[in-house]
Amino acid sequence: MELFNYFRSSASYRVRIALALKGLPYAYRPVHLQKNEQAAESYAAVSASRLVPLLQDGDQHIHQSLAIIEYLEETHPEPPLLPSDPVARARVRALALDIACEIHPLNNLRVLRYLVQSLGVDEAAKDRWYRHWVETGLEVVERQLAAQPMRFCGGDRPGLADCVLVPQVFNAQRFQCRLDHVPNVMRVFESCMQLDAFEATRPERCPDA
């Protein structure tokens, strides 16, 4: 397998964690978003979306981080990243989507660039935008975790939602977001960071960092 990704991409970090949790080897293929390498014709030849991450598994090319993780879950089911109970599986997927669909799209690089380059928003206002959506979005996750406190998002072992939560917290810390209002989020984050799958794949440890 080959993973095309960017070290600071939270979506890429999600997939790196999932691969590590499952113990799956892969070739690391850097695509530097700040240098617009995703727009190069050479990358378009493997990625129709021109986004990262992209997983190449043999002749198959799969994009979108959650789709990649679900693919890994179906093709390499052990250790599982989703609970066996349907209700618990739905809860874990919902937590992942609370971040991947409600927080991340408002704050990815394309959106931040558009705010500054096309709408003329200054850096201070851009950072306020970022912090607002992260801080309020994590409040939703906090309420879900507080309602069913567990070591990880879905139980006693890390899974899909943890793969999504940890990169979002990393980004929140990078942009100096307020996090004291989400103690359960930070508790789960700290539990995750005690594991090598999360620690060894963190952005600054990547080859392209």
Side-chain angles (χ1 to χ4, degrees):
M1 287 190 287
E2 299 179 57
L3 181 67
F4 295 82
N5 73 145
Y6 176 52
F7 76 100
R8 273 189 180 155
S9 159
S10 59
S12 297
Y13 189 10
R14 297 167 191 165
V15 178
R16 295 197 302 269
I17 294 168
L19 286 162
L21 286 171
K22 289 186 174 291
L24 296 173
Y26 63 95
Y28 188 105
R29 304 293 186 226
V31 180
H32 203 297
L33 301 187
Q34 292 284 0
K35 296 178 182 178
N36 290 320
E37 290 180 355
Q38 73 277 15
E41 290 302 320
S42 58
Y43 187 55
V46 294
S47 174
S49 69
R50 302 193 185 191
L51 299 173
V52 295
L54 174 79
L55 182 74
Q56 182 171 333
D57 188 10
D59 294 332
Q60 304 304 315
H61 296 81
I62 305 164
H63 74 292
Q64 289 295 346
S65 60
L66 295 188
I68 294 171
I69 296 173
E70 293 267 8
Y71 170 79
L72 295 174
E73 180 74 351
E74 292 171 3
T75 56
H76 301 82
E78 295 296 331
L81 299 180
L82 288 165
S84 57
D85 175 71
V87 174
R89 290 167 77 91
R91 176 181 176 273
V92 166
R93 284 188 169 112
L95 279 167
L97 293 171
D98 279 335
I99 298 170
C101 294
E102 304 295 340
I103 302 175
H104 180 251
L106 291 164
N107 295 294
N108 66 29
L109 182 59
R110 290 181 298 167
V111 170
L112 299 181
R113 278 180 170 173
Y114 185 78
L115 287 172
V116 173
Q117 297 175 4
S118 296
L119 299 184
V121 172
D122 63 29
E123 287 294 318
K126 181 200 74 174
D127 288 347
R128 286 198 303 273
W129 165 282
Y130 190 102
R131 294 187 189 110
H132 170 78
W133 294 115
V134 171
E135 291 170 4
T136 56
L138 286 178
E139 286 176 0
V140 175
V141 179
E142 172 69 18
R143 290 194 291 271
Q144 309 304 319
L145 296 178
Q148 296 185 47
M150 291 177 269
R151 182 184 178 192
F152 299 103
C153 287
D156 294 330
R157 62 188 179 199
L160 171 67
D162 304 282
C163 293
V164 180
L165 181 141
V166 165
Q168 186 60 70
V169 172
F170 259 84
N171 278 354
Q173 292 174 330
R174 181 176 163 227
F175 278 83
Q176 300 180 323
C177 296
R178 184 170 67 93
L179 292 168
D180 58 354
H181 66 309
V182 288
N184 285 283
V185 168
M186 297 309 297
R187 175 183 55 75
V188 171
F189 172 79
E190 294 298 336
S191 293
C192 290
M193 295 313 298
Q194 293 174 16
L195 303 179
D196 188 61
F198 293 85
E199 177 66 28
T201 55
R202 56 194 290 163
E204 64 268 31
R205 295 182 182 272
C206 291
D208 54 333

